[in-house]
Amino acid sequence: MSRWRSALTALPAAAVAVAALLLAPAPAHAAPADAELAYRWAPIHYQDSSSSYYTADYLAAVDYDADWNTLDNWDQLDANAGRLTGTVYYSVAETSTHWYLTYAFFHPRDWKDYPLNLFSHENDMEGQLEVVRKDGSAHGTLEAVVTLAHDNFYSYTPPGSPLTDGQENIDGTLVMQDFDGAGHPTSFQEARGHGAYAWDGAEFPGGDGIVYRPSRGAGSVPTGGNDRNASYQLVDIMAGGGLWERRNNTETYASWGTFRGDNGKDNAAHAPWAWDDSNDGSALQPGVIATDPALLVATYFGNTGSLDRNYLRNPYRS
């Protein structure tokens, strides 16, 4: 067979192959990196502040004072105010149907009146779980948020979510805001005690507060107690040398998931793997919001549709 006849014979097969490529369905989106997923759904954070002591309401890193000794976080606050860089910790768990994103907000002091009284305590970490359904899009669709305020969980859904009341009632509707080209949930923390809730769209009590937005890089130290353009950095709870890796380190923790603290009530602040709702039943053990968020969602909400209880990965179980 001549070279020209061989080329002509091969042409139909090549044309068929090209047509097949053109008609094939588009490939599914590659799974986003945890940092990208955390940034996509990171909340616009409304932090109320008390004019009697603004800096105690600034978001911070646990090691803001350049050490992991959590017994000195209360006392180092004034000396290290310039290091109170906006920081939010995150982690990601995954099933075949959902991503579960935990966001944790840390303050060196939980305080009620200044100076110290019996209801205050050193260190404070509260935050929220975000429930994101995998729907074939790059970052999924947000279905719910569960926040921690002191010893209670509060449930919220965004407009359009299919979820309904389950064992717990849904406490409100999330206010979504556009930021960096996408809709983000909003969150709110009280001044002084720092209970975490969904933001209700209202002005800060007293008129002063800090609005933090997520950053892909470093966060900022607020310019004062009424800074509406602050930013926070996202720090992986699972990062080397960080919160989870140090989980058995007695310099940082007094017991499992409990930060060491000796101002006010001793050892009163908790990491996500020890967050607890005090009245949601014995079936949901402390830390379930991080260690088994699929169970929490299946219990707290109705009309969950397909909800896989088996984890492709859950770093709190490793």
Side-chain angles (χ1 to χ4, degrees):
M1 183 182 293
S2 72
R3 181 174 60 187
W4 295 108
R5 183 173 294 180
S6 296
L8 291 171
T9 302
L11 183 60
V16 169
V18 170
L21 287 172
L22 292 174
L23 294 174
H29 289 279
D34 285 355
E36 179 61 28
L37 194 62
Y39 178 80
R40 165 61 186 89
W41 293 111
I44 311 301
H45 190 65
Y46 286 75
Q47 173 64 65
D48 191 22
S49 61
S50 172
S51 59
S52 62
Y53 198 27
Y54 282 140
T55 54
D57 293 321
Y58 292 0
L59 292 177
V62 174
D63 60 337
Y64 79 97
D65 56 351
D67 67 53
W68 285 97
N69 174 17
T70 53
L71 286 175
D72 67 6
N73 278 345
W74 180 288
D75 300 313
Q76 293 289 336
L77 185 59
D78 293 330
N80 289 278
R83 292 182 173 179
L84 296 173
T85 301
T87 301
V88 172
Y89 293 93
Y90 75 89
S91 63
V92 181
E94 181 181 9
T95 69
S96 66
T97 58
H98 289 82
W99 288 295
Y100 296 96
L101 286 74
T102 298
Y103 295 92
F105 315 125
F106 180 79
H107 299 81
R109 296 187 188 184
D110 177 303
W111 60 294
K112 306 305 185 289
D113 291 307
Y114 186 72
L116 172 69
N117 71 20
L118 294 176
F119 298 100
S120 300
H121 57 80
E122 187 166 26
N123 305 307
D124 193 20
M125 181 171 276
E126 305 191 31
Q128 62 191 45
L129 169 72
E130 295 188 11
V131 183
V132 177
R133 177 172 288 279
K134 296 177 176 179
D135 61 359
S137 64
H139 301 101
T141 298
L142 182 69
E143 289 191 327
V145 170
V146 180
T147 73
L148 169 68
H150 312 299
D151 293 317
N152 289 286
F153 293 161
Y154 293 86
S155 305
Y156 305 90
T157 53
S161 172
L163 300 186
T164 59
D165 292 344
Q167 174 181 299
E168 303 288 324
N169 294 329
I170 294 173
D171 295 291
T173 301
L174 291 167
V175 175
M176 304 294 289
Q177 284 188 355
D178 287 338
F179 174 71
D180 198 12
H184 289 247
T186 55
S187 53
F188 173 84
Q189 275 191 287
E190 302 165 324
R192 303 180 180 226
H194 307 136
Y197 305 89
W199 182 54
D200 63 3
E203 180 55 272
F204 288 109
D208 52 354
I210 304 162
V211 181
Y212 288 94
R213 294 174 180 83
S215 170
R216 292 186 183 274
S220 66
V221 179
T223 58
N226 197 33
D227 185 349
R228 304 303 175 94
N229 292 291
S231 62
Y232 66 78
Q233 62 186 341
L234 284 157
V235 175
D236 190 347
I237 291 173
M238 303 298 155
L243 290 174
W244 179 248
E245 188 170 295
R246 298 182 62 87
R247 61 193 178 277
N248 296 314
N249 187 295
T250 57
E251 181 185 33
T252 303
Y253 300 101
S255 59
W256 182 248
T258 300
F259 293 105
R260 288 170 60 84
D262 59 2
N263 293 89
K265 183 180 179 181
D266 290 348
N267 310 325
H270 304 288
W273 57 96
W275 285 349
D276 189 29
D277 185 302
S278 60
N279 60 7
D280 64 0
S282 59
L284 298 175
Q285 295 297 306
V288 69
I289 193 170
T291 61
D292 197 355
L295 171 61
L296 183 81
V297 172
T299 304
Y300 270 43
F301 297 98
N303 197 38
T304 56
S306 59
L307 191 151
D308 190 357
R309 287 282 315 282
N310 299 304
Y311 294 95
L312 300 175
R313 58 194 179 101
N314 185 330
Y316 297 103
R317 295 184 166 201
S318 61

